């Protein structure tokens, strides 16, 4: 059964790749057929509905029953695809089928953990479904923007899914100073923060590592955490950067100006994560600190996006999360019963 679950994850990746691989051909066809017809207000609506709607979606976690929360969020996430489906129906419907299948798989595995044991990968499926919907919303905005009347928008980056998915591992992206320097700086800060928190529960002090109550070789545990983190947080980087920088921030620069766009995005992006922290029982001092850090990170990601485009901000976002989660494993999994598992939490690091 464990092998079948891993195969299912692989199949989902291949299916997503094969369907989204049609983007380039579809885009070429659409460029021939597109007539300039959308007003600025119509394009803005396609971008702003999912962007600001994400705040409402995440806030619903505060009021929904815990056992039904993920079901409602999956439905709400699909509903935010409606503007994209109006503009780009074929692509959005195919992508929504993938995200729904990913959600359904994650919900099933979460309900029946005895089928695949501990640690689980249910949240990897659910996070992938959520972030796929964010990507679809970005592609809807991209399509609407390409159909806007002349003179409203400047040239806009045309990014396909495979280029976005490989961005964190693309040497041409990682070699840029505006990419590798922020990643290195954040890594140093994260290492320092974990060191200040102490080594008592770390694998370095105990010489052992556990996933919950399961003892596992340090090298194997680190490799497993890193592998799943690479997939999970690449999807996080794609979805969140596509929606928040490539859609909301990009449209606000046109609608409100560059300074208001930066400020609003630096408020909205951290605010979206606050309900997750409340549900996770963070104290308010931790929430305020995390929000401040996320706000500062948002300004950094905006700068990276403005300088190098969406691929660059995806790469930085993904690697910050990957490194943060892997360090968390190394510094907290040295003792048995640590509640750490490969079940990567729905609340993303950024």
């Amino acid at each position: 059964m464990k092998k079948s679950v891993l195969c299912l994850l692989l199949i989902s990746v291949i299916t997503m790749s094969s369907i989204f691989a049609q983007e380039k051909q579809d885009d070429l066809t659409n460029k021939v057929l597109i007539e300039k017809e959308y007003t600025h207000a119509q394009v803005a609506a396609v971008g702003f509905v999912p962007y600001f709607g994400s705040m409402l979606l995440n806030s619903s976690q505060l009021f929904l029953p815990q056992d039904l929360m993920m079901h409602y969020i999956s439905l709400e996430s699909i509903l935010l695809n409606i503007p994209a489906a109006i503009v780009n129906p074929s692509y959005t419907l195919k992508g929504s089928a993938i995200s729904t299948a990913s959600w359904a798989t994650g919900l099933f595995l979460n309900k029946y953990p005895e089928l695949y044991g501990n640690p689980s990968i249910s949240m990897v499926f659910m996070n992938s479904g959520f972030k796929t919907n964010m990507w679809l919303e970005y592609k809807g905005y991209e399509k609407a923007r390409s159909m806007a009347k002349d003179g409203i928008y400047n040239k806009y980056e045309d990014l396909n899914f495979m280029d976005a998915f490989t961005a964190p591992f693309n040497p041409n992206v990682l070699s840029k100073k505006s990419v590798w320097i922020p990643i290195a700086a954040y890594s140093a800060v994260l290492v320092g923060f974990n060191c200040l928190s102490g080594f008592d529960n770390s694998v370095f002090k105990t010489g052992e590592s556990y996933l919950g109550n399961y003892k596992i070789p340090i090298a194997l545990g680190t490799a497993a955490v890193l592998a799943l983190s690479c997939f999970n947080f690449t999807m996080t980087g794609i979805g969140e950067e596509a929606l928040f920088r490539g859609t909301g921030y990009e449209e606000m620069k046109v609608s409100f100006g560059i300074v208001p766009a930066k400020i609003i995005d630096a408020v909205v992006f951290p605010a979206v994560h606050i309900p997750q922290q409340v549900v996770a029982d963070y104290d308010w001092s931790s929430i305020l600190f995390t929000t401040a850090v996320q706000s500062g990170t948002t300004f950094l990601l905006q700068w990276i996006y403005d300088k190098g485009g969406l691929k660059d901000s995806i790469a930085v976002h993904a690697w910050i999360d990957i490194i943060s989660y892997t360090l968390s494993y190394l510094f907290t999994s040295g003792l048995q019963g640590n509640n750490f598992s490969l079940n990567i939490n729905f609340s993303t690091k950024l």
Side-chain angles (χ1 to χ4, degrees):
M1 181 59 71
K2 293 180 182 179
K3 291 182 179 179
S4 66
V5 172
L6 293 176
C7 289
L8 186 58
L9 177 61
L10 180 60
I11 291 171
S12 67
V13 174
I14 295 173
T15 302
M16 182 182 296
S17 301
S18 63
I19 291 179
F20 286 159
Q22 299 298 319
E23 285 181 75
K24 291 185 178 179
Q25 183 61 42
D26 290 345
D27 287 344
L28 291 174
T29 303
N30 289 334
K31 286 177 182 177
V32 176
L33 299 177
I34 284 174
E35 295 181 2
K36 307 294 184 182
E37 56 181 22
Y38 282 169
T39 65
H40 180 203
Q42 290 171 324
V43 177
V46 174
F48 285 156
V49 167
Y51 179 78
F52 291 107
S54 63
M55 294 184 65
L56 179 62
L57 185 153
N58 282 277
S59 296
S60 65
Q61 297 180 57
L62 300 174
F63 313 104
L64 294 172
Q66 190 69 25
D67 58 335
L68 297 177
M69 182 176 67
M70 290 304 181
H71 296 78
Y72 281 110
I73 289 178
S74 63
L75 177 60
E76 293 170 3
S77 179
I78 289 291
L79 291 177
L80 289 179
N81 289 349
I82 290 176
I86 294 173
V87 176
N88 196 12
S90 177
Y91 185 84
T92 304
L93 290 175
K94 287 187 291 185
S96 295
I98 294 172
S99 67
T100 301
S102 185
W103 269 106
T105 302
L107 290 170
F108 175 80
L109 296 177
N110 190 57
K111 185 175 181 180
Y112 300 103
E114 68 275 5
L115 293 180
Y116 56 94
N118 186 11
S120 73
I121 56 172
S122 59
M123 289 296 179
V124 176
F125 283 98
M126 296 166 77
N127 186 57
S128 296
F130 190 31
K131 298 312 186 292
T132 297
N133 286 333
M134 289 182 171
W135 171 259
L136 296 174
E137 291 147 14
Y138 157 75
K139 293 299 288 186
Y141 172 74
E142 178 191 86
K143 178 72 174 292
R145 185 161 166 156
S146 70
M147 297 173 68
K149 294 178 180 178
D150 291 332
I152 300 176
Y153 294 98
N154 295 324
K155 186 178 179 181
Y156 184 59
E157 180 181 18
D158 184 10
L159 183 64
N160 64 69
F161 181 79
M162 290 309 299
D163 285 345
F165 190 82
T166 57
F169 316 101
N170 186 334
N172 293 328
V173 173
L174 295 175
S175 62
K176 297 180 181 178
K177 290 183 178 180
S178 58
V179 174
W180 71 261
I181 290 179
I183 293 174
Y186 254 90
S187 299
V189 171
L190 291 169
V191 170
F193 180 80
N194 280 279
C195 288
L196 290 174
S197 299
F199 290 84
D200 290 345
N201 297 331
S202 71
V203 299
F204 309 111
K205 182 174 181 178
T206 65
E208 299 177 339
S209 64
Y210 294 86
L211 293 172
N213 291 316
Y214 294 83
K215 187 175 181 179
I216 186 171
I218 295 175
L220 179 59
T222 304
V225 167
L226 184 60
L228 280 183
S229 294
C230 282
F231 174 79
N232 189 72
F233 292 126
T234 294
M235 290 301 299
T236 294
I238 291 172
E240 294 190 359
E241 289 306 304
L243 179 61
F244 289 97
R245 252 59 66 191
T247 301
Y249 171 64
E250 181 68 37
E251 178 56 38
M252 286 189 293
K253 289 194 295 183
V254 178
S255 297
F256 309 137
I258 183 67
V259 173
K262 287 182 177 293
I263 294 173
I264 295 172
D265 190 44
V267 172
V268 171
F269 186 62
V272 166
H273 295 80
I274 290 177
Q276 300 169 348
Q277 297 162 16
V278 173
V279 171
D281 292 327
Y282 283 33
D283 60 70
W284 281 105
S285 61
S286 296
I287 291 176
L288 290 175
F289 174 76
T290 303
T291 300
V293 171
Q294 290 172 337
S295 184
T297 303
T298 302
F299 284 120
L300 173 64
L301 291 170
Q302 292 167 358
W303 175 78
I304 294 168
Y305 173 81
D306 288 336
K307 187 174 181 63
L310 190 56
K311 285 193 293 186
D312 290 12
S313 64
I314 288 172
V316 173
H317 191 147
W319 276 110
I320 289 174
D321 284 355
I322 292 167
I323 293 168
S324 176
Y325 198 78
T326 304
L327 286 173
S328 178
Y329 166 77
L330 292 173
F331 277 86
T332 61
S333 64
L335 296 178
Q336 188 174 13
N338 53 53
N339 295 320
F340 194 98
S341 79
L342 293 182
N343 186 5
I344 297 176
N345 194 281
F346 188 75
S347 302
T348 59
K349 293 294 176 184
L350 286 177

